[in-house]
Amino acid sequence: MGPQNNFTTRAQEALQQAHQLTAEHNHQEITSLHLLLALIRQKEGVVSGLLQKLEIPSGTLEQELEEELRFIPYAQGGNSATAQIYISKEIAQVLNQADKEAKKIGDEYISTEHLFLALIQTPSPAEKILNIYRVEYESVLKILKTLRGTHKVTDPDPESKG
């Protein structure tokens, strides 16, 4: 998954959760939908706080993503423990964009909000859904600024700091 060391702990957990969701659904590729669902399910995470501020019902969004996941063809016959799981091209783009987002803000680590900002901007099924809910890059950025103040992400555990 590229250099693991530049993801915050929460971001790594979200990526692992996305991997798990992919395996549970017998899918072969981790997609933007898996990642977005993983981010929303982090109840203490930044993303669920953002959704609250945007007044987006995360429960409804979660259900919608689960519906979408049902449309992804699943791997036939392979048992999910041994099946190889790949990173989809769109996730590679999302991670790349997340890295840019972190650098833009001056953060040293990629955190969950960078992943979320990247999902909003990378053309994908997740981005389409976020669009329907009118999740806009600028408004998310604004909320993030008020949530974070002047804090920079300079270590892997910024989310655990009060």
Side-chain angles (χ1 to χ4, degrees):
M1 197 154 283
Q4 274 289 307
N5 56 2
N6 68 344
F7 287 103
T8 64
T9 309
R10 277 273 163 86
Q12 285 186 42
E13 283 165 6
L15 291 165
Q16 278 158 1
Q17 183 61 37
H19 188 282
Q20 187 117 24
L21 279 165
T22 308
E24 279 168 19
H25 286 82
N26 276 328
H27 294 149
Q28 271 180 315
E29 289 190 322
I30 302 175
T31 70
S32 60
L33 295 167
H34 297 102
L35 181 58
L36 182 55
L37 188 53
L39 287 169
I40 293 169
R41 286 192 172 156
Q42 285 188 334
K43 291 306 171 210
E44 301 301 306
V46 175
V47 173
S48 70
L50 278 171
L51 292 174
Q52 261 172 337
K53 291 237 184 303
L54 290 165
E55 296 179 1
I56 291 164
S58 55
T60 319
L61 187 52
E62 211 175 309
Q63 280 174 329
E64 188 142 347
L65 288 166
E66 280 169 4
E67 284 294 307
E68 287 295 315
L69 285 179
R70 293 202 184 105
F71 292 113
I72 298 176
Y74 51 88
Q76 296 292 335
N79 114 20
S80 55
T82 56
Q84 187 71 43
I85 289 178
Y86 302 95
I87 299 241
S88 64
K89 208 181 270 169
E90 90 198 8
I91 279 290
Q93 287 170 331
V94 166
L95 296 178
N96 196 5
Q97 185 62 39
D99 188 46
K100 287 183 190 153
E101 290 303 322
K103 290 195 172 82
K104 218 188 288 180
I105 308 173
D107 291 335
E108 291 170 34
Y109 285 81
I110 297 171
S111 67
T112 52
E113 62 256 40
H114 303 129
L115 291 172
F116 190 59
L117 286 168
L119 282 167
I120 297 169
Q121 295 182 88
T122 310
S124 71
E127 179 251 356
K128 283 194 183 79
I129 290 175
L130 289 168
N131 230 337
I132 293 166
Y133 281 87
R134 294 198 167 76
V135 177
E136 284 156 8
Y137 181 78
E138 290 306 326
S139 43
V140 169
L141 216 48
K142 236 180 246 159
I143 293 168
L144 272 174
K145 281 194 179 120
T146 58
L147 286 179
R148 278 174 53 158
T150 55
H151 292 293
K152 298 271 180 252
V153 182
T154 53
D155 67 78
D157 276 315
E159 295 99 340
S160 62
K161 297 196 174 18

